[in-house]
Amino acid sequence: MTRTATSGQSPAQGPAFRFTAATTLGLVAVTGVALVLAGFWLGLSGPISLTIGAIGASILCSVGLLTARHWHAQHQVRRDLALVKALYGSATATALVDGALGHIIWANQAAHDRFAGATHAASFVEDVSADPAELVTRLHDRALAEGRVTHSIALDTGELRLTVRPAGHGRALWQFDDTTLPDRRDSLPFNMIETSENGRISYLSPKLRDQSSTLARHISDLLNLPLPKAGEPAIFALRDTDTRHIGFRTTPQDAGECILLLSPASNEDTDQNFNALQMLPIAVALVDRNGYLTRANDETRRLLRLRKDDTPRFCELLEGLGRPVGEWLADIRAGRVATPTEVLRATNPADDLFLQVSLRSYGNDGELVAVMHDATEFKALEAKFTQSQKMQAIGQLAGGVAHDFNNLLTAISGHCDLILLRHDRSDVDYPDLMQIQQNTNRAAALVRQLLAFSRKQTLQFETLDLHDLLADAIHLLNRLVGERVTLTLRHGADIPLIRSDKRQFEQVLMNLVVNARDAMPMGGEIVIETEYHALPSGMRRDKATLPPGDYAVIRVRDEGIGMSHAIMAKVFDPFFSTKRQGEGTGLGLSTVYGIVKQSGGFIFVDSEEGHGTTFSIYFAAQAAAAIAVARPHQTKPLATVASRSTVLLVEDEAPVRSFAARALQLQGHRVLEADSGEAALELLQDPSLRPDVFVSDVIMPGLDGPGWVAQIRDRFPDTPIVFMSGYAEDSRIAAQAELGQAVFIGKPFSLAEFTSIVNEQLRKLTEAA
């Protein structure tokens, strides 16, 4: 340990010359007289000489007093450290003195041996405290304020007690006392032997140590070999004695094994042998050849919630193999099962209880001994892992469906828009065309919903005012709730702006309100309220951590039937629904969860059976967006610009390419078509060809959109790019390409949306020119 003050310094050590009060006064007097005489010698008047002498004496006096005070403080520090050394220098307990910042000034030999090289008091507690620096600072300050502080830290082997006392001049004396608890295994009601993989004994109960004639280091020094099989109650014989014990040998998952030796017993008394297992902390039961649970220890009855005199059938207590448990028992008795261990679900408890059950033959009458362990946490982890795999598979499926399905919807919707251009409302075919368009939009909404809970949809983020947003949505929501339900909107004060996709946020509100309505079949009130909520220290809830900051909170509260804790834990799972068959898909709340999480928000649910449900959504507060002021510009009309524009359209789906080309041609553009990135590069080999804008799908066979554009970007550095795709991941691919002047439009899009974004890019190009 590096010490800034050694432990061998005594209070007698110090400067050879020490200032005392008499010395200081003598020097002041001599100096004053000398200055007065010097004034007279220089011919100064008497008052001036006396003044100079007084000033000089005062200065010297101040310097002397400060020097004396500094020496006195140093002397006190040396004296205090010498006293601490005398008291704690040779103590077996760790002791040290730290300064105001926790740096070690002095430490005894025990501290040096325990933590060699440490320079800060926090080093002594860094293995037992999550924040050692904060603990040391807090105890140091408390000791200086209160005089003495004691703090205890529980350890696996006992307790670490910290005692801190003030040591003067902002310093503190620390004592570290370890209290070792007695080994808990020594007090067990049975004997225990723990060994390593090679059989070397790592622990031996006191009674067995007393019975052994020699020091037992290996299992062969204590027990007769070979040992019985693991997992079965058996008789263990102590070596060199006639004593035999009923025992139980277990092999844990980690290295080594454990042997439990119970009361001495005889081979003939089977009931007595089994009853000795009552004291085991392991669930053990005996199953007869007819499948009845004839004997069970207390741990078994606790797990399965059995009364003392219950003897039920084993197959009625447990289930979950996909076949009758009785057949599994028969296969084990017949030797047709290689590994007779399964995880089964208990049927008796009200809550979910899973047990890992291992069966072994016991006796010669077809009996089986069952050893059971609580595997509920293991099954819960397994379920979460399975759920995450499902979500990953659903996400991949959603992406594939969206990519292909949105191409089809784009072609259907686009060609429908082209036909509508030639029909007005008086046309007999107009209603049929509108039905096609509306159902295409419904199909697009289903795809967005599928992408929403897998968090792979394309969101158009904008800064939203909750007052305006809810005011616009309340009319639609009122039509959804019906006559029996009252919808109330309450706004809090100073509600900040949020950042989200407006259309998707409206979908969140609609899904929550519809669920609230369905939870109140007899009617009631649904309240939508907003609130400003400041979290200066953040918040942790339901395994989610909200960072510090200001939040806008939207709550949707109903007076419905509420939910149990079991349902609340699954309420956001996809395809989970409490409604009857045909009344719900189980995608509503999972869609809400996906939209909120993809928007960077948080959603929580509070509910109580019979007392309603509240969903709370937290969005980080946003600053007001700058309002762009349109500047008048003297440009030619758009139609004149469009008539001279050349568009390179690259799309592998022929129906989408056909619609997009027709739409652009109707705007007066010249359209060059290519069905792949390679075909586009081949067209651009003509040096006279200079497209005004590139329109390309993102994902195509061979070269993707960003890939082929990157190869010709040096030739067309300022040409605008419009990327198209029906999958959010494709928008990320396009963004990561870092191509300037590129925009993205998600499929399916309408004719108006498509032509508008292309014309906007051409307008910007014209303005730049």
Side-chain angles (χ1 to χ4, degrees):
M1 174 178 293
T2 304
R3 304 175 185 172
T4 57
T6 63
S7 59
Q9 189 179 18
S10 67
Q13 293 174 328
F17 179 78
R18 300 177 182 173
F19 286 96
T20 63
T23 305
T24 304
L25 291 175
L27 288 174
V28 171
V30 171
T31 304
V33 172
L35 290 173
V36 171
L37 294 177
F40 283 119
W41 182 73
L42 292 173
L44 300 176
S45 63
I48 295 176
S49 299
L50 292 175
T51 301
I52 292 174
I55 292 173
S58 299
I59 294 173
L60 183 60
C61 181
S62 299
V63 172
L65 289 176
L66 290 175
T67 304
R69 182 177 297 175
H70 174 72
W71 171 85
H72 182 66
Q74 291 294 101
H75 173 71
Q76 283 186 328
V77 171
R78 289 193 297 270
R79 183 194 62 191
D80 293 343
L81 289 179
L83 181 60
V84 170
K85 175 190 175 184
L87 293 174
Y88 300 100
S90 58
T92 56
T94 302
L96 60 90
V97 176
D98 73 333
L101 298 178
H103 295 290
I104 297 173
I105 297 174
W106 175 88
N108 67 352
Q109 188 62 38
H112 175 71
D113 295 339
R114 184 172 179 178
F115 295 97
T119 59
H120 197 280
S123 303
F124 288 77
V125 292
E126 62 183 3
D127 294 333
V128 295
S129 174
D131 192 349
E134 187 276 337
L135 175 64
V136 167
T137 302
R138 176 163 51 86
L139 294 181
H140 181 104
D141 295 342
R142 282 187 58 196
L144 298 185
E146 301 174 14
R148 183 177 183 272
V149 174
T150 301
H151 181 76
S152 297
I153 301 174
L155 306 175
D156 293 338
T157 57
E159 180 184 70
L160 175 62
R161 178 172 295 177
L162 309 179
T163 303
V164 191
R165 299 180 178 87
H169 301 282
R171 298 173 176 85
L173 169 64
W174 292 73
Q175 286 178 264
F176 298 78
D177 298 310
D178 291 314
T179 304
T180 303
L181 297 176
D183 198 323
R184 298 176 182 177
R185 295 173 294 185
D186 292 348
S187 59
L188 291 174
F190 47 81
N191 294 319
M192 178 185 289
I193 309 170
E194 289 185 0
T195 68
S196 59
E197 287 182 308
N198 58 10
R200 186 175 180 83
I201 296 175
S202 58
Y203 171 78
L204 193 61
S205 294
K207 292 182 180 179
L208 291 178
R209 291 197 294 265
D210 297 339
Q211 292 181 20
S212 179
S213 57
T214 59
L215 181 61
R217 299 184 180 277
H218 193 273
I219 193 65
S220 59
D221 299 334
L222 188 65
L223 301 178
N224 289 331
L225 301 180
L227 297 177
K229 294 181 180 179
E232 298 181 9
I235 304 298
F236 290 80
L238 292 180
R239 188 172 181 178
D240 301 330
T241 67
D242 295 331
T243 306
R244 292 180 300 171
H245 288 261
I246 297 174
F248 195 89
R249 178 182 172 196
T250 63
T251 304
Q253 294 180 353
D254 53 354
E257 66 178 4
C258 178
I259 300 174
L260 309 178
L261 300 181
L262 308 178
S263 59
S266 61
N267 286 330
E268 290 76 16
D269 192 353
T270 304
D271 287 342
Q272 180 183 350
N273 295 353
F274 190 86
N275 290 335
L277 297 176
Q278 288 288 357
M279 61 188 71
L280 275 177
I282 302 171
V284 183
L286 202 62
V287 183
D288 67 9
R289 62 185 305 169
N290 297 318
Y292 284 93
L293 200 69
T294 57
R295 288 184 289 272
N297 68 350
D298 292 339
E299 182 65 14
T300 301
R301 296 185 180 278
R302 185 191 67 81
L303 281 177
L304 297 176
R305 307 205 182 161
L306 300 175
R307 293 191 299 270
K308 206 69 173 176
D309 54 347
D310 284 347
T311 56
R313 288 179 62 86
F314 188 73
C315 57
E316 295 175 354
L317 295 173
L318 299 167
E319 62 180 7
L321 284 173
R323 58 171 178 157
V325 176
E327 293 185 10
W328 181 52
L329 301 181
D331 289 343
I332 293 173
R333 292 190 185 96
R336 294 191 292 267
V337 178
T339 55
T341 300
E342 293 285 351
V343 176
L344 306 178
R345 182 181 180 275
T347 59
N348 189 21
D351 52 349
D352 286 341
L353 173 65
F354 291 89
L355 299 177
Q356 182 179 357
V357 182
S358 299
L359 294 176
R360 298 290 188 276
S361 297
Y362 184 81
N364 300 319
D365 196 25
E367 290 183 310
L368 298 171
V369 62
V371 180
M372 290 165 279
H373 303 275
D374 191 344
T376 305
E377 291 188 8
F378 168 76
K379 290 298 290 184
L381 290 174
E382 185 181 56
K384 289 181 180 178
F385 177 71
T386 303
Q387 182 68 15
S388 67
Q389 286 186 315
K390 284 183 184 178
M391 287 298 296
Q392 184 178 6
I394 290 173
Q396 292 175 346
L397 174 64
V401 168
H403 191 273
D404 296 334
F405 201 60
N406 280 332
N407 275 327
L408 297 175
L409 293 177
T410 302
I412 296 171
S413 176
H415 284 93
C416 183
D417 287 342
L418 290 173
I419 297 175
L420 282 171
L421 293 176
R422 301 193 298 270
H423 295 73
D424 56 22
R425 293 180 179 274
S426 62
D427 197 297
V428 66
D429 294 329
Y430 188 83
D432 297 331
L433 293 172
M434 290 304 299
Q435 282 291 327
I436 295 174
Q437 189 180 60
Q438 290 173 7
N439 283 281
T440 303
N441 292 335
R442 287 184 60 192
L446 286 175
V447 176
R448 287 195 300 269
Q449 192 176 36
L450 186 65
L451 289 171
F453 75 83
S454 63
R455 302 181 219 171
K456 294 182 181 294
Q457 64 178 340
T458 304
L459 298 182
Q460 302 295 328
F461 286 102
E462 55 184 305
T463 303
L464 302 175
D465 187 327
L466 286 175
H467 288 80
D468 299 338
L469 184 62
L470 293 176
D472 294 340
I474 198 70
H475 304 291
L476 171 64
L477 298 177
N478 270 318
R479 291 197 297 268
L480 289 174
V481 297
E483 297 179 354
R484 293 186 176 182
V485 177
T486 303
L487 186 61
T488 304
L489 180 61
R490 298 173 185 169
H491 282 298
D494 301 324
I495 304 301
L497 303 176
I498 66 171
R499 187 82 172 161
S500 184
D501 183 297
K502 180 179 180 180
R503 184 175 58 181
Q504 295 302 322
F505 185 78
E506 291 173 347
Q507 180 72 36
V508 167
L509 288 175
M510 185 178 68
N511 286 4
L512 292 178
V513 169
V514 168
N515 272 280
R517 178 202 65 188
D518 295 342
M520 299 186 297
M522 303 304 295
E525 183 184 22
I526 301 174
V527 178
I528 302 176
E529 58 185 9
T530 60
E531 178 189 7
Y532 164 72
H533 196 52
L535 297 175
S537 302
M539 182 177 73
R540 181 169 179 81
R541 177 181 172 183
D542 299 344
K543 299 181 181 179
T545 302
L546 279 69
D550 297 332
Y551 289 84
V553 184
I554 305 98
R555 292 190 177 91
V556 179
R557 185 172 67 249
D558 64 64
E559 301 172 340
I561 58 177
M563 293 181 284
S564 65
H565 290 289
I567 294 178
M568 285 173 58
K570 302 176 182 178
V571 71
F572 295 120
D573 291 351
F575 308 113
F576 175 79
S577 177
T578 58
K579 300 176 182 178
R580 291 178 296 181
Q581 186 73 24
E583 292 185 356
T585 62
L587 289 178
L589 290 178
S590 59
T591 299
V592 168
Y593 184 84
I595 294 173
V596 171
K597 296 302 290 184
Q598 193 175 2
S599 301
F602 302 86
I603 183 168
F604 306 105
V605 58
D606 298 284
S607 185
E608 185 178 351
E609 289 185 281
H611 293 82
T613 301
T614 300
F615 286 91
S616 301
I617 304 173
Y618 287 73
F619 281 109
Q622 301 291 327
I627 301 175
V629 179
R631 293 177 302 171
H633 35 262
Q634 303 298 326
T635 59
K636 295 181 180 180
L638 185 59
T640 306
V641 175
S643 64
R644 299 201 308 266
S645 300
T646 301
V647 180
L648 176 57
L649 174 63
V650 186
E651 170 63 64
D652 61 309
E653 290 285 340
V656 177
R657 188 172 67 252
S658 172
F659 152 65
R662 289 276 307 280
L664 294 172
Q665 288 167 356
L666 288 175
Q667 292 289 313
H669 301 303
R670 175 194 177 198
V671 182
L672 303 174
E673 299 182 38
D675 60 0
S676 65
E678 291 82 358
L681 294 177
E682 186 175 351
L683 281 174
L684 293 174
Q685 287 180 358
D686 184 356
S688 63
L689 190 61
R690 305 288 298 183
D692 297 298
V693 63
F694 298 137
V695 179
S696 174
D697 194 11
V698 177
I699 299 298
M700 296 179 291
L703 277 175
D704 60 13
W708 77 261
V709 172
Q711 294 190 24
I712 51 88
R713 199 55 174 161
D714 56 342
R715 290 176 50 199
F716 304 93
D718 300 323
T719 303
I721 310 164
V722 177
F723 283 120
M724 310 177 294
S725 181
Y727 188 33
E729 292 297 326
D730 297 350
S731 67
R732 296 189 181 96
I733 293 173
Q736 291 170 0
E738 297 182 356
L739 298 171
Q741 300 187 33
V743 296
F744 180 85
I745 182 172
K747 298 176 183 177
F749 46 74
S750 66
L751 183 147
E753 291 172 338
F754 177 63
T755 55
S756 174
I757 196 169
V758 173
N759 288 336
E760 178 66 17
Q761 293 300 99
L762 288 170
R763 184 184 64 80
K764 291 180 180 179
L765 180 66
T766 304
E767 288 179 353

